[in-house]
Amino acid sequence: MQVFHSPDHALHAPLHEFEGGRLIPAYESPKRIDAILAALKDAGFPTPAAPAHFGHEPLLRVHGAAFLDFLKTAFPRWRERHGEGRPEAFPSQFPARTLRAMQPDEIEALLGYYTFDMATPILEGTWPAAISAANAALSGAQALHRGANSAFALARPPGHHAAGDLYGGYCFLNNTAIAAQWLTDLGRRVAILDVDCHHGNGTQTIFYGRGDVLTISIHGDPRTTYPFYLGYADERGEGAGDGANLNLPLPAGSTWDAFSVALETAVARVRAFGADTLVVALGVDNYRHDPVSTLALDDADYSRMGATIGALNLPTLFVMEGGYAIPQVGALTARVLSSFLGR
């Protein structure tokens, strides 16, 4: 398995996020990746390769040009407005119901226009970190296209909550979708399987009206689990995409018994779709000790997960998403990848 990773991820190092109306220490931090790198080394995985640079064209296949320009310029505009004393850019207002979704000029309002939460600050290093994550995913996709059976993009910031012109959920560019689109453009029939605890609302939105990419998400029930406003079982796709989106929400507290049934359902749908390539949005925040989890998987379940995905016998790209239990996140990730390889 080829592994791709850039140290530029550490340029995005948020200190805070909002939870319950107050600032708390950020769950999403560079320590996550440090733990995974150490665990992969201990498990005998190869030293990660630096990602290639793919330019903006693959990003524009998924994200709008105005949105990309916003992400690139948001922090300089924030600093021009607020000076050096506020190193994290947060919105102050959102275009909620009864308001018009107008694109404003004021940077704080513009932040609210392009995001859907207050857990995802933009920092001085956010843009280069997000680019490095997308390039890691694209490098993994390129490895598959060149004949590799599997690859792992150790991407950070994560991506599956980012839509075509919307960021949030710690995500800025949708690394999984960018890689899947790049492979689709080369003629591959791609299925995306998202196993993160939280619904991949951005990925669903990007492909919702299309039938050429299958999107599947196994996640906590959005009635009780972030992002709350998407991820329900009746969301099947629309137009040409009708039937090409499968959501498998699980009740809070679900263990492997329920998760495994959903995973087998997902595997059967991938086979029925006739996919020749699989992209896995790998979140391990469904762990019972993860601070943001509403599910309750145990350590050994991640080995079962990897083996089940491996049984599809498809060229597979894993793209890192969530996982915030720092003491365990590395071992859980290594368990999935190792068991996928049959170790």
Side-chain angles (χ1 to χ4, degrees):
M1 177 178 287
Q2 298 185 41
V3 180
F4 297 92
H5 164 69
S6 170
D8 284 353
H9 81 90
L11 296 173
H12 176 71
L15 300 173
H16 304 102
E17 62 183 79
F18 277 94
E19 182 181 89
R22 61 191 177 92
L23 276 176
I24 64 168
Y27 289 121
E28 205 291 298
S29 78
K31 293 179 181 179
R32 303 172 54 238
I33 303 305
D34 296 339
I36 295 170
L37 286 170
L40 293 181
K41 182 178 180 180
D42 290 345
F45 282 83
T47 300
H53 296 277
F54 289 80
H56 275 39
E57 187 56 36
L59 310 184
L60 288 166
R61 296 287 293 132
V62 168
H63 296 288
F67 176 65
L68 295 178
D69 183 67
F70 159 76
L71 289 178
K72 184 177 181 179
T73 62
F75 191 79
R77 294 179 65 180
W78 174 266
R79 175 153 288 173
E80 181 180 1
R81 175 73 172 81
H82 293 290
E84 300 284 337
R86 296 175 66 180
E88 298 173 295
F90 285 102
S92 61
Q93 187 171 346
F94 297 88
R97 292 188 304 274
T98 77
L99 299 177
R100 293 179 65 184
M102 300 289 290
Q103 183 171 337
D105 295 326
E106 167 61 39
I107 183 57
E108 292 184 25
L110 196 60
L111 289 161
Y113 176 80
Y114 277 119
T115 192
F116 59 94
D117 69 19
M118 296 188 70
T120 314
I122 292 180
L123 288 71
E124 185 172 15
T126 298
W127 175 247
I131 290 291
S132 76
N135 281 330
L138 287 164
S139 294
Q142 185 179 68
L144 292 193
H145 193 64
R146 289 176 172 174
N149 184 60
S150 60
F152 175 43
L154 184 47
R156 182 183 170 274
H160 71 150
H161 292 305
D165 59 356
L166 196 67
Y167 75 97
Y170 312 145
C171 303
F172 301 94
L173 299 175
N174 195 313
N175 310 312
T176 296
I178 289 166
Q181 182 62 56
W182 191 87
L183 289 163
T184 300
D185 288 341
L186 292 173
R188 291 193 174 240
R189 189 162 175 81
V190 178
I192 298 172
L193 172 59
D194 191 326
V195 296
D196 191 283
C197 180
H198 306 93
H199 175 245
N201 58 290
T203 308
Q204 172 176 306
T205 301
I206 288 164
F207 295 108
Y208 202 64
R210 295 169 47 178
D212 57 337
V213 175
L214 175 67
T215 51
I216 304 174
S217 182
I218 305 171
H219 51 270
D221 191 323
R223 290 176 297 179
T224 57
T225 304
Y226 182 95
F228 302 112
Y229 304 110
L230 275 182
Y232 294 87
D234 63 350
E235 297 160 8
R236 294 174 29 87
E238 63 185 10
D242 186 23
N245 186 78
L246 175 63
N247 286 330
L248 298 164
L250 301 176
S254 291
T255 65
W256 178 252
D257 288 345
F259 193 97
S260 64
V261 172
L263 185 57
E264 291 292 350
T265 300
V267 164
R269 180 64 70 88
V270 171
R271 289 196 177 106
F273 182 71
D276 59 28
T277 305
L278 181 66
V279 177
V280 178
L282 179 58
V284 296
D285 51 356
N286 31 39
Y287 184 55
R288 63 191 179 97
H289 295 308
D290 193 287
V292 300
S293 180
T294 59
L295 302 181
L297 299 193
D298 214 335
D299 299 64
D301 298 334
Y302 292 89
S303 296
R304 301 183 181 104
M305 182 190 301
T308 302
I309 295 170
L312 277 166
N313 197 30
L314 290 174
T316 301
L317 168 63
F318 291 88
V319 181
M320 196 67 208
E321 295 290 354
Y324 309 98
I326 302 300
Q328 295 91 12
V329 65
L332 299 178
T333 302
R335 276 181 175 270
V336 176
L337 301 179
S338 295
S339 59
F340 170 85
L341 295 171
R343 298 180 183 175

